[in-house]
Amino acid sequence: MSVTETGLRDELLATAIAMGEAGLNVGTSGNASVRWNKRILITPSGIAATACTAADMAELDSSGTSRGPLAPSSEWQLHRDIYAAFPQAGAIVHAHAPFATALACQRRGIPAFHYMIARFGGTDVRCAPYATFGTQALSDRVVDALTGRSACLLSNHGMVVYGRDLAHALAQAIEFETLCEQYWRTLQLGEPVLLSAAEMADVIERFRWYGRPRADARS
Ligand SMILES: [Zn+2]
């Protein structure tokens, strides 16, 4: 992965376009960002990704001062505060994805209905209480809801997912929306049977080593 500013700008724009192609966003809704040195590169406000160039990606410092030809996304505080609260976050995707948003409008988090919920850090994914978009109050509630997790729902709004880099954040966002669709479909049949705390503890332990080299294969 490129770590140059030019490379990250290209990658951020490509991620924003890919969010639309994956059905996570329509038009100007949603936004994405990536951590860059002690700054943030973030998609601009009020313009569709398909109408942007890499030079349109806004640059923010930790005080919220922005640089670039366009204003940063109206949710820039949310992005800034997630990076500050979670050092492991390298990139963030915020979307009004259809199934995540349907659940968010019920103000319901996602319980352990499927073991893959553990991919997002624990036994559930929370739904942050409602606050107006673009406010510090919303940012504070989302940071709380993300404690120990890499995804959350935003009441009557959408979802936020972070990952170690843009490719990871996008993949996780698509995976999360898939999980939301599965939960939504499950609810059509009634309340699901939830996994127990012991069953989820076993899953979380297995995920701890999932995709890593075997300990006995290390030199
Ligand atoms: Zn939004």
Side-chain angles (χ1 to χ4, degrees):
M1 186 193 78
S2 171
V3 291
T4 67
E5 179 181 359
T6 303
L8 280 181
R9 284 178 175 276
D10 289 343
E11 200 180 344
L12 178 58
L13 177 58
T15 300
I17 292 170
M19 287 168 68
E21 291 171 347
L24 297 179
N25 276 340
V26 175
T28 61
S29 71
N31 39 69
S33 70
V34 61
R35 197 194 287 269
W36 175 59
N37 291 336
K38 293 188 175 176
R39 300 183 179 199
I40 301 166
L41 295 175
I42 186 167
T43 48
S45 177
I47 181 167
T50 49
C52 286
T53 67
D56 293 330
M57 301 297 107
E59 181 186 328
L60 269 181
D61 66 21
S62 59
S63 71
T65 304
S66 70
R67 281 177 29 188
L70 300 172
S73 160
S74 55
E75 295 294 2
W76 63 267
Q77 292 169 97
L78 188 72
H79 290 254
R80 177 196 63 182
D81 294 349
I82 291 171
Y83 290 122
F86 307 104
Q88 69 273 33
I92 299 167
V93 166
H94 163 58
H96 302 175
F99 290 97
T101 303
L103 295 171
C105 292
Q106 301 285 340
R107 300 193 181 186
R108 61 193 304 164
I110 307 174
F113 81 103
H114 191 292
Y115 77 88
M116 288 292 280
I117 201 84
R119 293 274 281 174
F120 302 96
T123 59
D124 61 3
V125 171
R126 305 180 189 100
C127 184
Y130 182 77
T132 308
F133 81 95
T135 61
Q136 187 62 49
L138 177 62
S139 176
D140 292 346
R141 290 169 184 185
V142 167
V143 167
D144 279 351
L146 282 173
T147 303
R149 305 287 186 270
S150 59
C152 76
L153 296 171
L154 286 62
S155 289
N156 307 88
H157 187 157
M159 53 113 115
V160 169
V161 177
Y162 72 73
R164 58 183 172 269
D165 54 32
L166 282 163
H168 186 228
L170 177 63
Q172 289 285 94
I174 292 169
E175 198 168 294
F176 183 58
E177 172 67 353
T178 300
L179 202 65
C180 288
E181 179 175 0
Q182 290 164 346
Y183 186 46
W184 184 89
R185 289 186 182 280
T186 299
L187 291 172
Q188 312 310 305
L189 303 172
E191 289 296 326
V193 177
L194 301 181
L195 293 161
S196 69
E199 287 166 338
M200 283 304 294
D202 189 37
V203 171
I204 289 167
E205 180 60 24
R206 283 175 179 271
F207 272 156
R208 208 184 300 280
W209 301 105
Y210 182 75
R212 292 187 186 183
R214 285 165 53 119
D216 58 5
R218 290 181 192 143
S219 56

Coordinates of all heavy atoms in Angstrom, one line a residue, residues 106-149:
Q106 N -34.7 1.3 13.7 CA -35.4 0.7 14.8 C -34.6 0.9 16.1 O -35.1 0.4 17.2 CB -35.5 -0.8 14.5 CG -36.2 -1.3 13.3 CD -37.7 -1.1 13.4 OE1 -38.2 -1.1 14.5 NE2 -38.4 -1.0 12.2
R107 N -33.5 1.6 16.0 CA -32.6 1.8 17.2 C -32.3 0.5 17.9 O -32.4 0.4 19.1 CB -33.3 2.9 18.1 CG -33.5 4.2 17.4 CD -33.8 5.3 18.4 NE -34.0 6.6 17.7 CZ -34.2 7.7 18.2 NH1 -34.2 7.8 19.5 NH2 -34.4 8.8 17.5
R108 N -32.0 -0.5 17.1 CA -31.7 -1.8 17.7 C -30.3 -2.2 17.3 O -29.9 -2.1 16.1 CB -32.7 -2.9 17.3 CG -32.8 -3.2 15.9 CD -34.1 -4.0 15.5 NE -34.1 -5.2 16.3 CZ -35.2 -6.0 16.4 NH1 -36.4 -5.6 15.8 NH2 -35.2 -7.1 17.0
G109 N -29.5 -2.6 18.3 CA -28.2 -3.1 18.0 C -28.3 -4.5 17.5 O -29.4 -5.1 17.4
I110 N -27.2 -5.1 17.1 CA -27.2 -6.5 16.6 C -26.6 -7.5 17.6 O -25.5 -7.4 18.0 CB -26.4 -6.6 15.3 CG1 -26.9 -5.5 14.3 CG2 -26.5 -7.9 14.6 CD1 -26.1 -5.3 13.1
P111 N -27.5 -8.4 18.1 CA -27.0 -9.4 19.1 C -26.2 -10.5 18.4 O -26.0 -10.5 17.2 CB -28.3 -9.9 19.7 CG -29.3 -9.8 18.5 CD -28.9 -8.6 17.7
A112 N -25.8 -11.5 19.2 CA -25.1 -12.6 18.7 C -26.0 -13.6 18.0 O -26.1 -14.8 18.4 CB -24.3 -13.3 19.9
F113 N -26.6 -13.2 16.9 CA -27.5 -14.1 16.1 C -26.7 -15.0 15.2 O -27.1 -16.0 14.7 CB -28.5 -13.3 15.3 CG -28.0 -12.7 14.0 CD1 -28.3 -13.3 12.8 CD2 -27.1 -11.6 14.0 CE1 -27.8 -12.8 11.6 CE2 -26.6 -11.1 12.9 CZ -26.9 -11.7 11.6
H114 N -25.4 -14.5 14.9 CA -24.5 -15.3 14.0 C -23.1 -15.1 14.5 O -22.8 -14.0 15.0 CB -24.6 -14.6 12.6 CG -24.0 -15.4 11.5 ND1 -22.6 -15.6 11.4 CD2 -24.5 -16.1 10.5 CE1 -22.3 -16.4 10.4 NE2 -23.5 -16.7 9.8
Y115 N -22.3 -16.1 14.4 CA -21.0 -16.0 15.0 C -20.1 -15.0 14.4 O -19.2 -14.5 15.1 CB -20.3 -17.4 15.0 CG -19.7 -17.8 13.7 CD1 -18.4 -17.4 13.4 CD2 -20.4 -18.6 12.8 CE1 -17.8 -17.8 12.1 CE2 -19.9 -18.9 11.6 CZ -18.6 -18.5 11.2 OH -18.0 -18.9 10.0
M116 N -20.4 -14.6 13.1 CA -19.5 -13.6 12.5 C -19.6 -12.2 13.1 O -18.8 -11.3 12.8 CB -19.9 -13.5 11.0 CG -19.4 -14.7 10.2 SD -17.6 -14.8 10.1 CE -17.3 -13.6 8.7
I117 N -20.6 -12.0 14.0 CA -20.6 -10.7 14.7 C -19.3 -10.5 15.5 O -18.9 -9.3 15.7 CB -21.8 -10.7 15.7 CG1 -22.2 -9.3 16.1 CG2 -21.5 -11.5 17.0 CD1 -23.1 -8.6 15.1
A118 N -18.6 -11.6 15.8 CA -17.3 -11.4 16.5 C -16.2 -10.8 15.7 O -15.2 -10.3 16.2 CB -16.8 -12.8 17.0
R119 N -16.4 -10.7 14.4 CA -15.4 -10.0 13.5 C -15.3 -8.6 13.8 O -14.4 -7.9 13.5 CB -15.9 -10.2 12.0 CG -15.8 -11.6 11.5 CD -14.5 -11.9 11.0 NE -14.3 -11.4 9.6 CZ -13.1 -11.4 9.0 NH1 -12.1 -12.0 9.6 NH2 -13.0 -10.9 7.8
F120 N -16.3 -8.0 14.6 CA -16.3 -6.6 14.9 C -16.0 -6.4 16.3 O -16.2 -5.3 16.9 CB -17.7 -6.0 14.5 CG -17.9 -6.2 13.0 CD1 -18.7 -7.3 12.6 CD2 -17.3 -5.4 12.1 CE1 -18.9 -7.5 11.2 CE2 -17.5 -5.7 10.7 CZ -18.3 -6.7 10.3
G121 N -15.4 -7.4 17.0 CA -14.7 -7.1 18.3 C -15.4 -7.7 19.5 O -14.8 -7.7 20.6
G122 N -16.6 -8.2 19.4 CA -17.2 -8.7 20.6 C -18.5 -9.5 20.3 O -18.6 -10.1 19.2
T123 N -19.4 -9.6 21.3 CA -20.5 -10.4 21.2 C -21.8 -9.7 20.6 O -22.8 -10.3 20.5 CB -20.9 -11.0 22.6 OG1 -21.2 -9.9 23.4 CG2 -19.8 -11.8 23.2
D124 N -21.6 -8.4 20.3 CA -22.7 -7.7 19.7 C -22.1 -6.5 19.0 O -20.9 -6.2 19.0 CB -23.7 -7.3 20.7 CG -23.1 -6.3 21.8 OD1 -21.9 -6.0 21.7 OD2 -23.9 -5.9 22.7
V125 N -23.0 -5.8 18.2 CA -22.7 -4.5 17.7 C -23.7 -3.5 18.2 O -24.9 -3.8 18.1 CB -22.6 -4.5 16.1 CG1 -22.5 -3.1 15.6 CG2 -21.5 -5.3 15.6
R126 N -23.3 -2.4 18.8 CA -24.2 -1.5 19.4 C -24.8 -0.5 18.5 O -24.2 -0.3 17.4 CB -23.5 -0.7 20.5 CG -22.8 -1.6 21.6 CD -22.1 -0.7 22.6 NE -21.3 -1.6 23.5 CZ -19.9 -1.7 23.3 NH1 -19.3 -1.0 22.4 NH2 -19.3 -2.5 24.1
C127 N -25.9 0.1 18.9 CA -26.5 1.2 18.1 C -26.4 2.4 19.0 O -27.0 2.5 20.1 CB -28.0 0.9 17.8 SG -28.8 2.1 16.8
A128 N -25.6 3.4 18.5 CA -25.4 4.7 19.2 C -26.8 5.4 19.3 O -27.5 5.5 18.3 CB -24.4 5.5 18.5
P129 N -27.0 6.1 20.5 CA -28.3 6.9 20.6 C -28.3 8.0 19.6 O -27.2 8.4 19.1 CB -28.2 7.4 22.0 CG -27.3 6.5 22.7 CD -26.3 6.0 21.7
Y130 N -29.5 8.5 19.2 CA -29.6 9.5 18.2 C -29.0 10.8 18.6 O -29.2 11.3 19.7 CB -31.1 9.7 17.8 CG -31.2 10.7 16.7 CD1 -31.0 10.3 15.4 CD2 -31.6 12.0 17.0 CE1 -31.1 11.3 14.4 CE2 -31.7 13.0 16.0 CZ -31.4 12.6 14.7 OH -31.5 13.5 13.7
A131 N -28.4 11.5 17.6 CA -28.0 12.9 17.7 C -28.0 13.4 16.3 O -27.8 12.7 15.4 CB -26.6 13.1 18.4
T132 N -28.1 14.7 16.1 CA -28.1 15.4 14.8 C -26.8 15.1 14.1 O -25.7 15.1 14.7 CB -28.3 16.9 15.0 OG1 -29.5 17.1 15.8 CG2 -28.6 17.5 13.6
F133 N -26.9 14.9 12.8 CA -25.7 14.6 12.0 C -24.7 15.8 12.1 O -25.2 17.0 12.2 CB -26.1 14.3 10.5 CG -26.4 15.6 9.7 CD1 -25.4 16.2 8.9 CD2 -27.6 16.1 9.7 CE1 -25.6 17.3 8.2 CE2 -27.9 17.3 9.0 CZ -26.9 17.9 8.2
G134 N -23.5 15.5 12.0 CA -22.4 16.5 12.0 C -22.2 17.2 13.3 O -21.5 18.3 13.4
T135 N -22.7 16.7 14.4 CA -22.5 17.4 15.7 C -21.5 16.6 16.6 O -21.3 15.4 16.4 CB -23.9 17.4 16.5 OG1 -24.3 16.1 16.7 CG2 -24.9 18.2 15.7
Q136 N -21.0 17.4 17.6 CA -20.1 16.8 18.5 C -20.9 15.7 19.4 O -20.3 14.7 19.8 CB -19.5 17.8 19.5 CG -18.4 17.3 20.4 CD -17.2 16.8 19.6 OE1 -16.7 17.4 18.7 NE2 -16.8 15.6 20.0
A137 N -22.1 16.0 19.6 CA -22.9 15.0 20.4 C -23.0 13.6 19.7 O -22.8 12.6 20.3 CB -24.4 15.5 20.6
L138 N -23.2 13.7 18.4 CA -23.2 12.4 17.6 C -21.8 11.7 17.7 O -21.8 10.5 18.0 CB -23.6 12.7 16.2 CG -23.6 11.4 15.3 CD1 -24.6 10.4 15.8 CD2 -23.8 11.7 13.8
S139 N -20.8 12.5 17.6 CA -19.4 11.9 17.6 C -19.2 11.3 19.0 O -18.7 10.1 19.1 CB -18.4 13.0 17.4 OG -17.1 12.5 17.5
D140 N -19.6 11.9 20.1 CA -19.4 11.4 21.4 C -20.1 10.1 21.6 O -19.6 9.1 22.1 CB -19.9 12.4 22.5 CG -19.0 13.6 22.5 OD1 -17.9 13.7 22.0 OD2 -19.5 14.6 23.1
R141 N -21.3 10.0 21.1 CA -22.1 8.8 21.2 C -21.6 7.6 20.4 O -21.7 6.5 20.8 CB -23.6 9.1 20.9 CG -24.2 10.0 21.9 CD -25.6 10.6 21.6 NE -26.0 11.5 22.6 CZ -27.1 12.1 22.7 NH1 -28.0 11.9 21.7 NH2 -27.4 12.9 23.7
V142 N -21.1 8.0 19.2 CA -20.5 6.9 18.4 C -19.2 6.4 19.0 O -19.0 5.2 19.0 CB -20.3 7.5 16.9 CG1 -19.4 6.6 16.1 CG2 -21.6 7.7 16.2
V143 N -18.4 7.3 19.5 CA -17.1 6.8 20.1 C -17.5 5.8 21.3 O -16.9 4.8 21.5 CB -16.3 8.0 20.6 CG1 -15.1 7.5 21.5 CG2 -15.7 8.7 19.4
D144 N -18.5 6.2 22.1 CA -18.9 5.3 23.2 C -19.4 4.0 22.6 O -19.0 2.9 23.2 CB -20.1 5.9 23.9 CG -19.7 7.0 24.9 OD1 -18.5 7.1 25.2 OD2 -20.6 7.7 25.5
A145 N -20.2 4.0 21.6 CA -20.7 2.7 21.0 C -19.6 1.9 20.4 O -19.8 0.7 20.3 CB -21.8 3.1 20.0
L146 N -18.5 2.5 20.0 CA -17.4 1.7 19.4 C -16.5 1.1 20.4 O -15.5 0.4 20.0 CB -16.7 2.6 18.4 CG -17.3 2.9 17.0 CD1 -16.5 4.0 16.3 CD2 -17.4 1.6 16.2
T147 N -16.6 1.4 21.7 CA -15.7 0.9 22.7 C -15.6 -0.6 22.6 O -16.6 -1.3 22.6 CB -16.2 1.3 24.1 OG1 -16.3 2.7 24.1 CG2 -15.2 0.8 25.1
G148 N -14.4 -1.1 22.3 CA -14.3 -2.6 22.2 C -14.8 -3.2 20.9 O -14.9 -4.4 20.7
R149 N -15.2 -2.3 19.9 CA -15.8 -2.8 18.7 C -15.2 -2.0 17.5 O -14.7 -0.9 17.7 CB -17.3 -2.5 18.7 CG -18.1 -3.1 19.8 CD -18.2 -4.6 19.7 NE -19.1 -5.2 20.7 CZ -18.6 -5.6 21.9 NH1 -17.3 -5.5 22.2 NH2 -19.5 -6.1 22.8

